[in-house]
Amino acid sequence: MASSRRRALIVDGYNVLRSGSRYKVIKGPDYTDDMFNTARERLINDVINFAGRAYEATIVFDGAGNAYSHAEFQKVGHVSVVFSKSGQSADRLIEQLAHDARERGIETLVVTSDAGIQDAVFGGGVDRMSSEGFCQEVSMCYDEVDEEKHPEISQKRTVSERVPADVRAKLERLRESLS
């Protein structure tokens, strides 16, 4: 039976990209646009897969320094992606979204390793998960899916296959000497 309770997932996008081990491989030593876009796309896909239909998910990226950012929410899959508006930090928008969800009685999980955000949102129906904890959870989800797609098939092994080759050779010589 499907759960009828509403649940929100709010992800501090750039914090997860900087702190999460899943994304360090992509970013490399430099932050070129292509590498950062690739990391951002991977995070979005990971959140889509992690959230599934269990969460109303939102990924918040910091757009404070971008004069053209207007905090417009865009849907990618079942996930909302937003850059905070110019002059507003992602931290502030995350705190606002968590507060609004709490006020509406929605069970909320905020993913960030930012201690300030964690302190501001924790409690009253808002839980927190570290960026690295999220990366580990996502990896476990993919591992479970992979196991379902490619189940390990047990092999029937004979005794002779389990005995080391040198022992088999000695046994064979012994058998021949007894014949």
Side-chain angles (χ1 to χ4, degrees), residues 4-5 7 9 12 16 28 37 39 44 49 63 65 69 78 91 104 107 116 121 134 140 142 152 161 168 174 177:
S4 61
R5 70 177 184 216
R7 297 168 62 185
L9 173 68
D12 185 352
V16 173
N37 287 335
I44 291 168
N49 289 317
S69 185
H78 297 285
D91 299 8
R104 292 181 290 146
E107 182 181 329
V121 302
F134 174 77
M140 286 190 316
Y142 285 125
E152 187 175 311
E161 291 174 328
R168 256 194 338 261
L174 178 62
S177 72

mmCIF file of all heavy atoms in Angstrom, residues 4-5 7 9 12 16 28 37 39 44 49 63 65 69 78 91 104 107 116 121 134 140 142 152 161 168 174 177:
data_model
loop_
_atom_site.group_PDB
_atom_site.id
_atom_site.type_symbol
_atom_site.label_atom_id
_atom_site.label_comp_id
_atom_site.label_asym_id
_atom_site.label_seq_id
_atom_site.Cartn_x
_atom_site.Cartn_y
_atom_site.Cartn_z
ATOM 1 N N SER A 4 0.451 7.739 2.058
ATOM 2 C CA SER A 4 -0.284 8.936 1.672
ATOM 3 C C SER A 4 0.320 10.196 2.278
ATOM 4 O O SER A 4 -0.128 11.291 1.977
ATOM 5 C CB SER A 4 -1.754 8.806 2.105
ATOM 6 O OG SER A 4 -1.813 8.684 3.516
ATOM 7 N N ARG A 5 1.324 10.036 3.129
ATOM 8 C CA ARG A 5 1.916 11.227 3.742
ATOM 9 C C ARG A 5 2.785 11.958 2.727
ATOM 10 O O ARG A 5 3.395 11.355 1.848
ATOM 11 C CB ARG A 5 2.715 10.860 4.979
ATOM 12 C CG ARG A 5 3.979 10.110 4.698
ATOM 13 C CD ARG A 5 4.736 9.842 5.975
ATOM 14 N NE ARG A 5 5.983 9.197 5.638
ATOM 15 C CZ ARG A 5 6.541 8.275 6.345
ATOM 16 N NH1 ARG A 5 5.983 7.877 7.460
ATOM 17 N NH2 ARG A 5 7.677 7.739 5.973
ATOM 18 N N ARG A 7 5.983 14.095 1.650
ATOM 19 C CA ARG A 7 7.379 14.195 2.059
ATOM 20 C C ARG A 7 8.128 15.073 1.075
ATOM 21 O O ARG A 7 7.950 14.947 -0.137
ATOM 22 C CB ARG A 7 8.018 12.810 2.104
ATOM 23 C CG ARG A 7 7.367 11.911 3.145
ATOM 24 C CD ARG A 7 7.769 10.478 3.018
ATOM 25 N NE ARG A 7 9.192 10.299 3.206
ATOM 26 C CZ ARG A 7 9.806 9.140 3.054
ATOM 27 N NH1 ARG A 7 9.127 8.073 2.716
ATOM 28 N NH2 ARG A 7 11.100 9.049 3.247
ATOM 29 N N LEU A 9 11.967 16.644 -0.131
ATOM 30 C CA LEU A 9 13.413 16.506 -0.134
ATOM 31 C C LEU A 9 13.970 17.796 -0.713
ATOM 32 O O LEU A 9 13.612 18.183 -1.828
ATOM 33 C CB LEU A 9 13.837 15.311 -0.994
ATOM 34 C CG LEU A 9 15.328 15.126 -1.245
ATOM 35 C CD1 LEU A 9 16.040 14.748 0.056
ATOM 36 C CD2 LEU A 9 15.564 14.048 -2.299
ATOM 37 N N ASP A 12 20.798 20.927 -1.162
ATOM 38 C CA ASP A 12 21.698 22.066 -1.330
ATOM 39 C C ASP A 12 22.685 21.691 -2.439
ATOM 40 O O ASP A 12 23.723 21.084 -2.200
ATOM 41 C CB ASP A 12 22.421 22.330 -0.006
ATOM 42 C CG ASP A 12 23.301 23.568 -0.031
ATOM 43 O OD1 ASP A 12 23.490 24.166 -1.105
ATOM 44 O OD2 ASP A 12 23.815 23.930 1.051
ATOM 45 N N VAL A 16 26.400 19.788 -2.073
ATOM 46 C CA VAL A 16 26.544 18.355 -2.344
ATOM 47 C C VAL A 16 27.625 18.130 -3.401
ATOM 48 O O VAL A 16 28.440 17.217 -3.279
ATOM 49 C CB VAL A 16 25.203 17.731 -2.775
ATOM 50 C CG1 VAL A 16 25.380 16.284 -3.215
ATOM 51 C CG2 VAL A 16 24.186 17.823 -1.646
ATOM 52 N N GLY A 28 36.995 17.081 -11.037
ATOM 53 C CA GLY A 28 38.425 17.150 -11.286
ATOM 54 C C GLY A 28 39.035 18.344 -10.608
ATOM 55 O O GLY A 28 38.412 19.009 -9.779
ATOM 56 N N ASN A 37 28.804 21.354 -15.343
ATOM 57 C CA ASN A 37 27.489 21.007 -15.878
ATOM 58 C C ASN A 37 27.265 19.503 -15.820
ATOM 59 O O ASN A 37 26.163 19.042 -15.507
ATOM 60 C CB ASN A 37 27.327 21.513 -17.311
ATOM 61 C CG ASN A 37 27.139 23.011 -17.369
ATOM 62 O OD1 ASN A 37 26.687 23.628 -16.409
ATOM 63 N ND2 ASN A 37 27.506 23.606 -18.481
ATOM 64 N N ALA A 39 28.608 17.423 -13.645
ATOM 65 C CA ALA A 39 28.375 17.098 -12.232
ATOM 66 C C ALA A 39 26.961 17.491 -11.821
ATOM 67 O O ALA A 39 26.268 16.736 -11.128
ATOM 68 C CB ALA A 39 29.409 17.792 -11.355
ATOM 69 N N ILE A 44 21.327 15.938 -10.514
ATOM 70 C CA ILE A 44 19.887 15.998 -10.819
ATOM 71 C C ILE A 44 19.358 14.587 -11.075
ATOM 72 O O ILE A 44 18.315 14.203 -10.541
ATOM 73 C CB ILE A 44 19.612 16.948 -12.005
ATOM 74 C CG1 ILE A 44 19.892 18.401 -11.587
ATOM 75 C CG2 ILE A 44 18.172 16.796 -12.500
ATOM 76 C CD1 ILE A 44 19.938 19.394 -12.740
ATOM 77 N N ASN A 49 16.349 9.753 -9.181
ATOM 78 C CA ASN A 49 16.314 8.325 -8.847
ATOM 79 C C ASN A 49 16.123 8.092 -7.362
ATOM 80 O O ASN A 49 15.402 7.178 -6.960
ATOM 81 C CB ASN A 49 17.581 7.630 -9.342
ATOM 82 C CG ASN A 49 17.611 7.523 -10.846
ATOM 83 O OD1 ASN A 49 16.599 7.205 -11.463
ATOM 84 N ND2 ASN A 49 18.743 7.797 -11.448
ATOM 85 N N GLY A 63 22.332 31.188 -6.906
ATOM 86 C CA GLY A 63 22.340 32.117 -8.036
ATOM 87 C C GLY A 63 22.525 33.543 -7.571
ATOM 88 O O GLY A 63 22.284 34.483 -8.328
ATOM 89 N N GLY A 65 25.003 35.514 -7.090
ATOM 90 C CA GLY A 65 25.904 36.387 -7.840
ATOM 91 C C GLY A 65 25.534 36.554 -9.296
ATOM 92 O O GLY A 65 26.232 37.234 -10.042
ATOM 93 N N SER A 69 19.419 35.745 -12.480
ATOM 94 C CA SER A 69 18.720 34.671 -11.785
ATOM 95 C C SER A 69 17.481 35.218 -11.084
ATOM 96 O O SER A 69 17.561 36.179 -10.317
ATOM 97 C CB SER A 69 19.648 34.004 -10.763
ATOM 98 O OG SER A 69 19.014 32.902 -10.182
ATOM 99 N N HIS A 78 10.562 14.432 -12.005
ATOM 100 C CA HIS A 78 9.650 14.809 -10.919
ATOM 101 C C HIS A 78 10.325 15.736 -9.925
ATOM 102 O O HIS A 78 9.849 15.897 -8.803
ATOM 103 C CB HIS A 78 9.159 13.559 -10.185
ATOM 104 C CG HIS A 78 8.370 12.643 -11.048
ATOM 105 N ND1 HIS A 78 7.074 12.911 -11.412
ATOM 106 C CD2 HIS A 78 8.684 11.470 -11.649
ATOM 107 C CE1 HIS A 78 6.632 11.943 -12.185
ATOM 108 N NE2 HIS A 78 7.594 11.063 -12.350
ATOM 109 N N ASP A 91 21.309 29.245 0.635
ATOM 110 C CA ASP A 91 21.054 28.923 2.047
ATOM 111 C C ASP A 91 19.729 29.507 2.511
ATOM 112 O O ASP A 91 18.914 28.824 3.129
ATOM 113 C CB ASP A 91 22.175 29.459 2.943
ATOM 114 C CG ASP A 91 23.535 28.871 2.637
ATOM 115 O OD1 ASP A 91 23.666 28.152 1.630
ATOM 116 O OD2 ASP A 91 24.468 29.134 3.415
ATOM 117 N N ARG A 104 3.338 23.603 6.599
ATOM 118 C CA ARG A 104 2.254 22.871 5.934
ATOM 119 C C ARG A 104 2.160 21.423 6.420
ATOM 120 O O ARG A 104 1.351 20.657 5.909
ATOM 121 C CB ARG A 104 2.447 22.903 4.415
ATOM 122 C CG ARG A 104 2.244 24.306 3.837
ATOM 123 C CD ARG A 104 2.401 24.337 2.339
ATOM 124 N NE ARG A 104 3.808 24.118 2.015
ATOM 125 C CZ ARG A 104 4.235 23.459 0.944
ATOM 126 N NH1 ARG A 104 3.395 22.958 0.079
ATOM 127 N NH2 ARG A 104 5.521 23.307 0.726
ATOM 128 N N GLU A 107 6.562 16.292 6.015
ATOM 129 C CA GLU A 107 7.801 15.696 6.520
ATOM 130 C C GLU A 107 8.919 16.079 5.545
ATOM 131 O O GLU A 107 8.819 15.821 4.344
ATOM 132 C CB GLU A 107 7.629 14.179 6.571
ATOM 133 C CG GLU A 107 8.806 13.436 7.116
ATOM 134 C CD GLU A 107 8.564 11.940 7.111
ATOM 135 O OE1 GLU A 107 7.416 11.497 7.261
ATOM 136 O OE2 GLU A 107 9.548 11.210 6.937
ATOM 137 N N GLY A 116 25.382 25.804 9.187
ATOM 138 C CA GLY A 116 24.422 26.886 9.401
ATOM 139 C C GLY A 116 23.021 26.509 8.959
ATOM 140 O O GLY A 116 22.040 26.759 9.666
ATOM 141 N N VAL A 121 17.412 24.579 10.117
ATOM 142 C CA VAL A 121 16.238 23.813 9.692
ATOM 143 C C VAL A 121 15.913 22.621 10.577
ATOM 144 O O VAL A 121 14.802 22.099 10.524
ATOM 145 C CB VAL A 121 16.369 23.311 8.227
ATOM 146 C CG1 VAL A 121 16.582 24.465 7.278
ATOM 147 C CG2 VAL A 121 17.466 22.273 8.081
ATOM 148 N N PHE A 134 24.179 11.402 1.688
ATOM 149 C CA PHE A 134 23.336 11.321 0.491
ATOM 150 C C PHE A 134 24.051 10.527 -0.599
ATOM 151 O O PHE A 134 23.446 9.666 -1.238
ATOM 152 C CB PHE A 134 22.981 12.726 -0.006
ATOM 153 C CG PHE A 134 22.235 12.729 -1.305
ATOM 154 C CD1 PHE A 134 20.886 12.411 -1.346
ATOM 155 C CD2 PHE A 134 22.874 13.063 -2.484
ATOM 156 C CE1 PHE A 134 20.193 12.403 -2.555
ATOM 157 C CE2 PHE A 134 22.191 13.059 -3.689
ATOM 158 C CZ PHE A 134 20.847 12.734 -3.716
ATOM 159 N N MET A 140 24.011 3.139 -2.773
ATOM 160 C CA MET A 140 23.324 1.912 -2.352
ATOM 161 C C MET A 140 22.084 1.660 -3.210
ATOM 162 O O MET A 140 21.784 0.515 -3.556
ATOM 163 C CB MET A 140 22.953 1.977 -0.867
ATOM 164 C CG MET A 140 24.158 1.810 0.038
ATOM 165 S SD MET A 140 23.809 1.584 1.799
ATOM 166 C CE MET A 140 22.568 2.777 2.163
ATOM 167 N N TYR A 142 21.659 2.523 -6.367
ATOM 168 C CA TYR A 142 22.116 2.019 -7.664
ATOM 169 C C TYR A 142 22.615 0.583 -7.540
ATOM 170 O O TYR A 142 22.400 -0.231 -8.433
ATOM 171 C CB TYR A 142 23.208 2.911 -8.250
ATOM 172 C CG TYR A 142 22.678 4.204 -8.816
ATOM 173 C CD1 TYR A 142 23.182 5.431 -8.392
ATOM 174 C CD2 TYR A 142 21.683 4.210 -9.781
ATOM 175 C CE1 TYR A 142 22.699 6.624 -8.912
ATOM 176 C CE2 TYR A 142 21.190 5.395 -10.309
ATOM 177 C CZ TYR A 142 21.706 6.595 -9.870
ATOM 178 O OH TYR A 142 21.235 7.765 -10.390
ATOM 179 N N GLU A 152 23.288 -12.570 -9.118
ATOM 180 C CA GLU A 152 24.420 -13.492 -9.140
ATOM 181 C C GLU A 152 23.876 -14.908 -9.219
ATOM 182 O O GLU A 152 23.043 -15.313 -8.415
ATOM 183 C CB GLU A 152 25.256 -13.313 -7.878
ATOM 184 C CG GLU A 152 26.528 -14.110 -7.921
ATOM 185 C CD GLU A 152 27.403 -13.824 -6.723
ATOM 186 O OE1 GLU A 152 27.627 -12.644 -6.421
ATOM 187 O OE2 GLU A 152 27.843 -14.799 -6.091
ATOM 188 N N GLU A 161 36.951 -29.250 -8.699
ATOM 189 C CA GLU A 161 37.137 -27.823 -8.990
ATOM 190 C C GLU A 161 37.549 -27.038 -7.756
ATOM 191 O O GLU A 161 38.183 -26.004 -7.856
ATOM 192 C CB GLU A 161 35.848 -27.228 -9.562
ATOM 193 C CG GLU A 161 35.517 -27.725 -10.954
ATOM 194 C CD GLU A 161 34.156 -27.209 -11.405
ATOM 195 O OE1 GLU A 161 33.267 -27.022 -10.562
ATOM 196 O OE2 GLU A 161 34.005 -27.013 -12.613
ATOM 197 N N ARG A 168 45.423 -31.859 -6.473
ATOM 198 C CA ARG A 168 44.809 -32.769 -7.440
ATOM 199 C C ARG A 168 45.862 -33.639 -8.124
ATOM 200 O O ARG A 168 45.678 -34.842 -8.312
ATOM 201 C CB ARG A 168 44.032 -31.964 -8.500
ATOM 202 C CG ARG A 168 42.558 -32.004 -8.295
ATOM 203 C CD ARG A 168 41.731 -31.510 -9.477
ATOM 204 N NE ARG A 168 42.342 -30.631 -10.435
ATOM 205 C CZ ARG A 168 42.180 -29.310 -10.437
ATOM 206 N NH1 ARG A 168 41.442 -28.720 -9.530
ATOM 207 N NH2 ARG A 168 42.762 -28.579 -11.361
ATOM 208 N N LEU A 174 48.825 -40.631 -6.649
ATOM 209 C CA LEU A 174 48.541 -41.653 -5.644
ATOM 210 C C LEU A 174 47.583 -42.693 -6.205
ATOM 211 O O LEU A 174 47.777 -43.909 -6.022
ATOM 212 C CB LEU A 174 47.959 -40.990 -4.382
ATOM 213 C CG LEU A 174 47.557 -41.931 -3.255
ATOM 214 C CD1 LEU A 174 48.766 -42.707 -2.736
ATOM 215 C CD2 LEU A 174 46.926 -41.146 -2.135
ATOM 216 N N SER A 177 49.409 -44.927 -8.584
ATOM 217 C CA SER A 177 50.335 -45.864 -7.911
ATOM 218 C C SER A 177 49.583 -47.015 -7.262
ATOM 219 O O SER A 177 50.138 -48.103 -7.091
ATOM 220 C CB SER A 177 51.187 -45.123 -6.877
ATOM 221 O OG SER A 177 50.399 -44.753 -5.764
#
